[in-house]
Amino acid sequence: MKIRSITANVPMVPRMSENPAELVPELAEVSAALFKVTGNGSVPRSTISLVQLRAGQIVGSTYLTVLHTGFLRKAGESEERITSVASWQDSPYFSGAERAALALVEAVLQPSASGERVSDELYAQAAEHYEAKALATLMFAIGQVNFFIPVALIAKPVPGRLFTDPWK
């Protein structure tokens, strides 16, 4: 495996030249269903976007980070909130519910020294802020971004291009 120098220029072309959604058109139905599930209104769209931005940061995907940052900006989120997602633990810009959601996505995506990623304590903290449907929706929102992480890391769509067309 060749490792890129940290001073190397990163090309602004996708790794995969064809859009995976065009290669596998069945994806459209799955993707639409995931967006419908997460958009059921039980969790604020801003919270879902914050969680998905954090997921992109954790896995090191510039595409997902830029995409979800853009969604948050379009939704009117402040630059302070957007930029402090990476350091949310000591940021004053997040509610208890948002902190619980960010802690959940981190627990799911990062290994735990104790073995169990989502502890009973973390689940209880999240359940204090979210009723059952909202907690399930949050769980599916984390799953939704996880569904697209392989596309972002393997196909490497171009960051900053339209969500619908990062392959041109």
Side-chain angles (χ1 to χ4, degrees), residues 113-146:
S114 65
E116 185 175 32
R117 291 182 186 219
V118 179
S119 67
D120 290 342
E121 293 80 14
L122 177 53
Y123 180 85
Q125 288 171 0
E128 287 177 18
H129 296 282
Y130 297 99
E131 52 111 62
K133 180 178 180 177
L135 193 52
T137 300
L138 185 57
M139 180 176 60
F140 293 129
I142 294 168
Q144 178 187 31
V145 73
N146 280 319

Side-chain angles (χ1 to χ4, degrees), residues 18 38 84 118 155:
E18 295 179 84
T38 61
S84 65
V118 179

